[in-house]
Amino acid sequence: MKKVSISFTLNGDKVTAEVPPSWTLLKTLREYFELTGPKEGCGTGECGACTVIVDGKAVNSCIFPIPEVEGKSVTTIEGIASKDGTLHPLQKAFIENNGVQCGFCTSGMIMSAKALLDHNPDPTEDEIRTGIAGNLCRCTGYVQIVASIEKAGELIRQKK
Amino acid sequence: MVDYDYKKPKSLKEVFGLLKKYGPKATLIAGGTDVMINIRNRELSPEILISLRGLSDLCYIRKNNGYHIGALTTHRMLEQSDMVRAGLSALHDAASQVGSVQIRNVATVGGNICTAAPSADTAGPLLALDATVALEGPNGRRRVPIADFFTGPSETVRKGNEVLVEFDIPEEPGHFGSAYWKHSRRKAMDLPLLGIAVGLALSESQEISNARLGLTVAAPVPIRAYKAEEFLIGKRLGDDVLVEAGKIASSEASPRDSLRGKAWYRREMIEVFVPRMAKLAAERIRGE
C-alpha cells in the first residue's frame, strides 16, 4: 500500500506520520501514534466519540482524511493536561461531578466542551447542549456532563 | 477498507487537470461528511479523491450587489455570520441545524448541494432565496438557477469536469424576510423528514409583493411551489390566504412513503408549516 508523509502538530509536538493516504485522522491517531483516547464508535460522524480539535475546531476524526491535517494543529484528550500532569479544568470537573459513567464518550465530550469553552468560557446551558449535540452518551448521563462543563467554565473563569 | 490516493490541488486549473486525467475513477471531496461515509459503506470506491479544501479562495460570504457565498463555505461559517442571520435568515436557520458542531465545522454548502440529497437542508432556503449556482469547468463559467440544478436524487446538471464554485443570491428590494423549518424527530444529528423554506417580500400595507417557497423531501428533488407563490403574490398577508397557500403547496408536492414518514403525513405537514414559516418570515420583516 502506497504511503504518504504527513507533518503536523500533535498535542504541541511537531510530528510526521507515514501512512496510506486513505487513512483517517482517527486511524492514524490510534494505530500510528497509539493515542487511544479518541474512540471509534460509529465511524460515520454520528456519535462524536472520535472528536478531536483541529486548528481550534472540534471535528469527527473518523471521517477526517489524514492528508487534510498537513500543517495543521491537532489536539486530543491526551494533550489537554499540563506537562507536569495537572489535569485540565474539564478533566477535574468531570471527575468531581460524575460526568463519567462507562467512559466511552468521555474523551469526545471533553474535546467538544474544550472547543466550546476555549471560545466562550461562560456558555449558557443551551450553548453547552448545542456544543455537545454531536456527542452521544448511551449511559444517558447528560445532566452530570452538562454540570461538569458548567463547573469547568467556572474554574477557567476563576483562573483568568 | 477501501484504498485510494488523495490529491489536494491548490487551484481550479489543477483540479480540472486531475479530473481530465482520472475521469470517472476520481471523486471530488469537500468537507467529506458524505463522501467519507459513502466510502466506508462501500457505496463509493474511488481510485482517487480530489480534495477541494486547498481552494481556500472559495471560502467566503460577501455582500456586494447581492450576496455571494463561496462553495467551500462551511455550515458553521453561515451559522456564525451576522450578515447571513439578518439578510438570509432561512439559510441561517438551515445551516445551524445541520448535524452537529463537528459536522458543521467541515461540511460545506457546495457539498450539501452537489450531494443533492432530497433532504439537503440548504436546498430549500437557497430556492426560497432565488440563488444562482456558478459552475466552473475547463472552458469557463456558467450560471444555473438553483431551481434547475437538481435533476434527481443525487443527480444534478453539474458535469463531471465542472466544480460548483459559488452561490449568488439577489438582494431583494423592499421588505424581505425568510424562514426555514426543518421537520425532524430530534434536534441534532437528524435528517429532515420535511423541509419548508419561505421567502416573502411585503409592501408597507402588508401586501405580498413577492413570494418563493422551497420544499425538500417533498418530491424526488428539492422543488419550488410555484402555484402557491403565484397565489400569494398581490394578496394581503392574512391567515386565510396563508392556509390556502399551504393547501396549494401541498398539492404541488409529490412526497413518497419512506421509513421516516408517510406521504400523507408529509402533505399535511406542508399545509401546517407553509403558513407558519410565512408568518415567521413576516415577523422577521417587522423585526419582531
Side-chain angles (χ1 to χ4, degrees):
Chain A
M1 212 181 281
K2 180 193 161 179
K3 287 187 179 174
V4 287
S5 179
I6 309 289
S7 297
F8 58 105
T9 304
L10 177 57
N11 294 329
D13 300 324
K14 298 259 181 236
V15 296
T16 299
E18 305 274 344
V19 293
S22 55
W23 276 29
T24 62
L25 173 56
L26 178 65
K27 193 170 167 80
T28 308
L29 290 172
R30 291 182 59 89
E31 297 185 18
Y32 188 87
F33 292 105
E34 299 185 356
L35 295 178
T36 53
K39 308 290 184 220
E40 180 169 73
C42 64
T44 55
E46 298 265 351
C47 78
C50 66
T51 304
V52 301
I53 297 177
V54 176
D55 281 0
K57 293 184 179 114
V59 304
N60 295 121
S61 63
C62 72
I63 51 172
F64 204 94
I66 189 64
E68 296 293 346
V69 302
E70 175 70 44
K72 293 195 157 62
S73 176
V74 178
T75 308
T76 71
I77 187 77
E78 287 89 347
I80 68 167
S82 306
K83 293 277 178 200
D84 67 4
T86 308
L87 293 181
H88 186 276
L90 274 162
Q91 293 170 310
K92 285 184 196 159
F94 267 69
I95 294 168
E96 282 164 20
N97 293 276
N98 301 313
V100 181
Q101 290 187 51
C102 86
F104 197 83
C105 74
T106 310
S107 82
M109 282 286 179
I110 289 182
M111 297 317 287
S112 282
K114 183 172 188 299
L116 171 69
L117 295 180
D118 283 350
H119 295 285
N120 174 12
D122 194 8
T124 62
E125 187 183 334
D126 252 16
E127 287 168 333
I128 292 174
R129 288 187 179 270
T130 300
I132 59 167
N135 294 82
L136 302 184
C137 165
R138 289 303 76 172
C139 306
T140 70
Y142 292 106
V143 170
Q144 300 98 295
I145 290 169
V146 171
S148 303
I149 298 170
E150 280 174 345
K151 183 70 190 173
E154 228 172 82
L155 293 173
I156 290 167
R157 295 197 302 277
Q158 279 166 10
K159 261 203 289 190
K160 279 185 179 166
Chain B
M1 174 157 184
V2 181
D3 192 35
Y4 49 81
D5 201 0
Y6 200 99
K7 299 275 185 210
K8 194 176 177 185
K10 293 218 156 45
S11 70
L12 274 171
K13 208 178 151 196
E14 280 178 70
V15 174
F16 300 141
L18 288 167
L19 283 172
K20 194 171 176 194
K21 186 172 170 193
Y22 293 99
K25 294 176 188 164
T27 297
L28 293 175
I29 178 170
T33 55
D34 289 315
V35 169
M36 293 298 284
I37 293 164
N38 290 342
I39 290 173
R40 191 188 162 92
N41 295 342
R42 311 271 163 134
E43 287 158 24
L44 257 182
S45 45
E47 280 181 29
I48 177 167
L49 284 184
I50 302 171
S51 168
L52 301 174
R53 271 143 103 171
L55 309 174
S56 46
D57 54 343
L58 292 185
C59 202
Y60 56 82
I61 306 167
R62 291 185 198 128
K63 190 176 172 186
N64 168 21
N65 201 3
Y67 297 86
H68 309 281
I69 299 174
L72 286 171
T73 302
T74 63
H75 289 76
R76 189 71 171 158
M77 286 170 68
L78 295 174
E79 178 185 7
Q80 293 182 327
S81 159
D82 291 334
M83 193 202 292
V84 173
R85 182 195 290 269
L88 310 171
S89 314
L91 186 59
H92 186 268
D93 292 338
S96 51
Q97 290 181 73
V98 167
S100 60
V101 173
Q102 293 97 310
I103 297 288
R104 297 197 288 277
N105 274 336
V106 292
T108 67
V109 59
N112 193 230
I113 293 306
C114 284
T115 295
S119 58
D121 273 298
T122 59
L126 288 170
L127 282 163
L129 296 165
D130 202 18
T132 300
V133 173
L135 294 165
E136 196 161 319
N139 301 321
R141 201 176 262 221
R142 65 180 175 126
R143 290 172 191 278
V144 181
I146 187 121
D148 301 333
F149 186 73
F150 304 102
T151 51
S154 312
E155 285 170 17
T156 72
V157 300
R158 184 179 68 86
K159 298 197 185 95
N161 63 353
E162 287 179 317
V163 174
L164 195 166
V165 290
E166 187 182 66
F167 298 92
D168 299 303
I169 299 173
E171 199 177 347
E172 297 285 334
H175 308 283
F176 180 82
S178 64
Y180 170 71
W181 176 255
K182 174 175 184 161
H183 197 52
S184 56
R185 295 183 190 201
R186 288 182 289 162
K187 273 192 182 171
M189 297 311 305
D190 203 0
L191 300 174
L193 57 91
L194 185 70
I196 306 284
V198 176
L200 215 55
L202 292 180
S203 71
E204 294 294 346
S205 59
Q206 298 292 296
E207 187 181 292
I208 299 167
S209 51
N210 203 355
R212 280 188 301 269
L213 273 56
L215 310 181
T216 46
V217 215
V221 297
I223 56 163
R224 287 265 298 267
Y226 290 109
K227 285 180 194 157
E229 294 173 6
E230 210 174 294
F231 168 80
L232 282 169
I233 294 169
K235 302 252 179 358
R236 236 182 97 83
L237 187 74
D239 285 350
D240 293 350
V241 167
L242 294 180
V243 166
E244 185 58 27
K247 285 188 179 146
I248 299 170
S250 178
S251 73
E252 289 179 81
S254 49
R256 63 179 189 132
D257 288 333
S258 78
L259 264 181
R260 275 184 286 133
K262 294 282 185 192
W264 67 263
Y265 177 72
R266 291 193 166 108
R267 280 190 193 285
E268 288 200 5
M269 290 303 106
I270 294 171
E271 288 188 33
V272 171
F273 286 106
V274 162
R276 280 195 204 167
M277 287 305 102
K279 278 187 193 169
L280 180 56
E283 279 168 22
R284 285 173 170 170
I285 293 172
R286 293 191 292 262
E288 287 166 14

